[in-house]
Amino acid sequence: MQDDIWPEVDVVIATHDRPVMVREAIAAVLEQEYPGRIRVIVVFDRSEPDPLLVRTTVERQVDVVRNTRSPGLAGARNTGILAGRGDLVAFCDDDDLWLPDKLRRQVRALAGSTAPTSVTGIEVTYDGTTTRRVPAPAELELRHLVRHRTMAAHPSSVVVRRHDLVHRIGLVDEEIPGSYGEDFDWMIRAAQHGGFALVEAPLVRVRWGGSQFSQQWATIAAAIDYGLAKHPVFFDDRRALARETGRKAFALAALGRRDALPWAARTAWSSPLEPRAYLAAAVALHLVSAERLLHLAHRRGHGI
C-alpha cells in the first residue's frame, strides 16, 4: 500500500443508554494512528440521538443517526452500515475501546490479502482482571470457528470491505431472537465467503460486565435454536453441535426448566468431553448457580 492512499473507513457504533461508555469508544476511534479518513456512525437504538456527539471535520467525522430498522443490535448495525459510504466498514461495540494502531495495522493486512475481512485479538477486562486472547490463523477456519466459537475474533475487531459485506457476506441477520449471537452468525458467513486477514495482536479492549445478554436465558435458548436451524455446518461436527446444545442446556437450567437435564444428557451423548453438559446438570440439580459459573468464566476471559 502506498502511504498516501488509505481507504476511507466507516466505523459503526450501535448504542443504547450508555452515554459515558459510548463517548469513550468514539474517542478511541478518533485517536487512531491512521492516515486516512474515518467516519464514525453512531446509531442510537431505542434511545434519542445525542447531537453533541456530531463532529464535522473532514478527516475525523462523527454522525449520529436513529436506528430505522428492527429494534436491537442487528438492526442498529445495519442502519449504520447502510448510512455509510466508505470502502471499508468496521464495527465497535459501545463499551469497547480500540488501541491506537488497530486500524492502521488491519488496513495494511487487508491490502496484502485477498480476504474480505480482517480481525485482531482482544484483551478482556472484567472485575479487575485482564485476559489477552489472540487467535491463531487455524482458529479462524470454519470448522474450528463453529466448534469453539473463537471469541478472540470479536466483532469490535472486524474491518471488512464494503462490497463484500453488502453483496457476499450479507448484512447482520435481524431475524435472530434478541440479536443474540448475531456476531457469531456473521462470522460464520464471513468464514464461508473468503475468510480473514488476521493481525495477531490484542488491539481491542473488551470491557465485560454490562452485557445486556449475560442473563437473558430465554432469549439465548431461542437464538441457539435459530442458529442450529440456519447453519447445517453444526451437524457436520459432533463437538460443534455439542457446544451449542450444551449452551442451550445451560440456559434452560438457569431458567429452572425441567428439560435442562435431557438437553445436558443429549450434549454428553454427542460429545462426552463437552463441559457445558456437566455445568448445565450442576445448575439443574441446584449444586451451583448459573450466575456463579458465569462470573468464574468471565474472570478467565471466557463465556459459557
Side-chain angles (χ1 to χ4, degrees), residues 6 18 120 138 191 193 218 234 247:
W6 292 85
R18 289 202 275 211
T120 75
H193 291 86
F234 285 114
R247 293 174 63 236

Side-chain angles (χ1 to χ4, degrees), residues 126-127 215 217 250 283 287-299 304:
Y126 174 78
D127 195 30
Q215 297 182 34
W217 303 114
F250 190 91
V283 173
L287 301 178
V288 65
S289 71
E291 291 72 21
R292 175 62 176 165
L293 292 176
L294 192 65
H295 172 72
L296 292 173
H298 282 178
R299 284 189 61 84
I304 295 294

Side-chain angles (χ1 to χ4, degrees), residues 102 106 118-122 133 135 152-154 157 198-199 201-204:
K102 171 193 180 292
Q106 283 190 272
S118 173
V119 294
T120 75
I122 60 176
R133 302 190 64 184
H154 192 274
S157 80
L198 172 64
V199 179
L203 299 178
V204 179

